[in-house]
């Protein structure tokens, strides 16, 4: 029997899993990047500090897709002034792509944006 994918809002306590997922996805999707470039992305752009800072802002949201206890995807939403929500990051592990997770994330993002009185979702 196939396990069902669940979705939930992520918190600071989830940052280690978020960082691990983003590091894995980045390494799988861009294997030809030099190790120096990968280190720059991991240390400065998709770092644990980045995710902690992102989650510290009340207007931001990170949703996670879980298969059991494994985080398999994230979408980071950044709400800006003027009613605009930006999809900042969308990562899904390679072996879970094509299963509707990205579509579900976008549906949840749209609902969250509308629920918070936004009118525009920027991808």
């Amino acid at each position: 029997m196939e396990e069902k994918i669940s979705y939930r809002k992520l918190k600071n306590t989830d940052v280690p899993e978020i960082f691990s997922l983003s590091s894995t996805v980045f390494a799988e999707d861009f294997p030809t990047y030099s190790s120096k470039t990968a280190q720059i992305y991991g240390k400065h752009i998709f770092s644990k500090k980045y995710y902690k800072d992102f989650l510290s802002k009340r207007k931001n949201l990170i949703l996670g897709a879980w298969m059991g206890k494994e985080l398999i995807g994230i979408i980071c939403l950044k709400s800006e002034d003027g009613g605009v929500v930006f999809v900042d990051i969308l990562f899904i592990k390679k072996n879970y792509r094509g299963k509707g997770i990205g579509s579900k994330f976008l549906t949840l993002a749209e609902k969250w944006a509308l629920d918070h009185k936004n009118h525009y979702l920027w991808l």
Side-chain angles (χ1 to χ4, degrees), residues 3-108:
E3 199 169 351
K4 186 177 179 191
I5 297 169
S6 62
Y7 299 84
R8 72 168 169 84
K9 178 180 175 179
L10 300 182
K11 306 174 285 200
N12 268 322
T13 56
D14 297 308
V15 166
E17 287 89 357
I18 296 168
F19 177 72
S20 177
L21 171 72
S22 65
S23 298
T24 298
V25 170
F26 187 81
E28 288 177 349
D29 287 352
F30 303 102
T32 59
Y33 272 22
S34 70
S35 61
K36 184 176 181 180
T37 303
Q39 284 177 340
I40 290 168
Y41 273 87
K43 190 172 184 181
H44 301 289
I45 299 173
F46 303 124
S47 66
K48 289 180 184 177
K49 181 181 179 335
Y50 171 83
Y51 295 114
K52 285 180 183 177
D53 290 347
F54 191 92
L55 286 168
S56 72
K57 295 180 178 86
R58 287 182 355 153
K59 290 180 152 187
N60 294 344
L61 173 72
I62 301 178
L63 293 173
W66 297 83
M67 179 66 76
K69 294 183 180 191
E70 178 187 9
L71 182 63
I72 59 172
I74 59 169
I75 188 169
C76 300
L77 306 174
K78 186 185 294 184
S79 181
E80 298 287 338
D81 293 332
V84 178
V85 173
F86 292 89
V87 175
D88 196 48
I89 297 172
L90 176 60
F91 285 145
I92 300 169
K93 280 189 174 180
K94 224 174 212 178
N95 54 330
Y96 290 99
R97 294 178 190 165
K99 299 182 184 310
I101 298 167
S103 295
K104 178 69 173 182
F105 271 147
L106 293 176
T107 298
L108 292 169

